[in-house]
Amino acid sequence: EELIGIAEVVAIGYGTARKGDLTGSVAVASTRGFDMMPAATPLHLLQGRASGVQITTESGMPGSGADVLIRGIQSINGTNEPIYVVDGVIRTSIDNLNPNSIESVSVLKDASAAAIYGARAANGVILVTTKRGTFNKDIELTLNAYVGFQTESNLKLKMLNAKQWLDMFTESYENSGTDIPWNAQTLAYYDGVDTDWVDLCTQTGVIQNYDLSMSGGSERSSYFLSASFMDHKGMVIESKFNKYTVNFNSDHKVNDWIK
């Protein structure tokens, strides 16, 4: 019996293989540090971790999704999104997964993926394996929590106040020989009347996440249970995102050939 280090094993859709034996184009994304990075979806954590995989955030709104391109744009009138396979089940999205429950991520990038999943795999396949319990292991509880703050870094611009703005446009009307639509009395009315709209529309964003998992197993059974809660209050007032996840799996050895 030959032992293979887990770091050298890659999920390839129809099983596992040693990394050195691979002939197709497979990228393995490191999941190290997933529990240390604030992200609403696992795709945000995969940015920059797999070669040939381009992931861009759709917007700056809390909880916004991500666009994924593998090997660039494949279609001009259809979807370019890959398919996702979570523990052997094909899905169209992994946004509702808890990042802390992910064990490994592999990306099938070449045409051989179509031999496994058909034409749906033309844009690539992202294989996700979630954490599972361990046989013959006592119960283990893990709590992960973090709180972070967000503030703008490039919006503190030096803006004109109301009087300066009117003075500038008054000068532009004079230079162009156009009649000025206001007079000195109007300018005096707006003197000292200023509103910082950016300051009124923004706030200090707060993001907090709590994840509790329980795992263990006996000689013939194992289990893994996790629950998480994310609360993200964005920098724009009234923008927010809440996410609740529960994940449970269990393995049972009925006999030597049924699991």
Side-chain angles (χ1 to χ4, degrees):
E1 185 179 46
E2 182 182 359
L3 298 179
I4 303 175
I6 189 64
E8 300 174 352
V9 177
V10 179
I12 53 176
Y14 44 80
T16 58
R18 287 187 303 176
K19 196 172 183 180
D21 294 339
L22 290 176
T23 57
S25 180
V26 179
V28 181
S30 173
T31 57
R32 180 178 299 177
F34 267 24
D35 56 344
M36 301 295 291
M37 300 174 61
T41 70
L43 290 177
H44 293 153
L45 298 176
L46 293 177
Q47 287 181 305
R49 291 176 178 254
S51 61
V53 181
Q54 180 182 351
I55 300 177
T56 55
T57 303
E58 293 177 352
S59 72
M61 288 288 293
S64 63
D67 295 322
V68 182
L69 286 178
I70 299 177
R71 305 186 312 273
I73 297 176
Q74 305 292 317
S75 173
I76 60 174
N77 59 358
T79 179
N80 288 284
E81 284 283 321
I83 63 173
Y84 304 91
V85 181
V86 181
D87 292 334
V89 179
I90 297 179
R91 303 169 62 168
T92 57
S93 173
I94 56 174
D95 288 346
N96 60 345
L97 279 185
N98 176 12
N100 287 338
S101 67
I102 294 178
E103 181 71 34
S104 64
V105 179
S106 301
V107 183
L108 309 185
K109 298 186 292 183
D110 61 6
S112 63
I116 314 169
Y117 301 106
R120 298 178 62 185
N123 296 325
V125 181
I126 295 181
L127 299 173
V128 178
T129 302
T130 60
K131 296 178 181 178
R132 310 192 76 84
T134 304
F135 292 98
N136 293 318
K137 187 175 182 179
D138 294 335
I139 183 173
E140 179 180 302
L141 292 175
T142 303
L143 175 64
N144 184 285
Y146 62 77
V147 177
F149 302 93
Q150 293 178 317
T151 183
E152 69 275 5
S153 61
N154 59 346
L155 293 181
K156 296 299 183 182
L157 305 176
K158 292 184 177 180
M159 310 289 289
L160 299 176
N161 59 33
K163 184 177 184 306
Q164 291 172 334
W165 190 90
L166 285 170
D167 287 342
M168 182 187 68
F169 273 83
T170 299
E171 184 178 349
S172 68
Y173 279 117
E174 293 174 346
N175 293 337
S176 63
T178 307
D179 292 338
I180 302 173
W182 51 74
N183 53 33
Q185 183 179 359
T186 304
L187 296 180
Y189 175 79
Y190 285 103
D191 188 12
V193 180
D194 299 296
T195 302
D196 189 342
W197 294 106
V198 173
D199 183 63
L200 288 179
C201 295
T202 58
Q203 61 188 358
T204 299
V206 180
I207 179 172
Q208 51 185 329
N209 186 84
Y210 305 94
D211 177 79
L212 178 64
S213 64
M214 178 177 63
S215 63
S218 61
E219 184 179 352
R220 290 191 170 271
S221 298
S222 67
Y223 60 89
F224 177 84
L225 172 65
S226 70
S228 69
F229 164 67
M230 169 178 278
D231 179 34
H232 186 186
K233 182 177 70 174
M235 290 183 294
V236 178
I237 291 178
E238 296 300 326
S239 64
K240 57 185 178 180
F241 173 74
N242 293 328
K243 179 179 180 180
Y244 305 85
T245 66
V246 175
N247 180 43
F248 173 75
N249 59 62
S250 181
D251 296 311
H252 304 276
K253 295 180 180 178
V254 179
N255 50 42
D256 294 337
W257 52 280
I258 294 180
K259 180 179 177 183

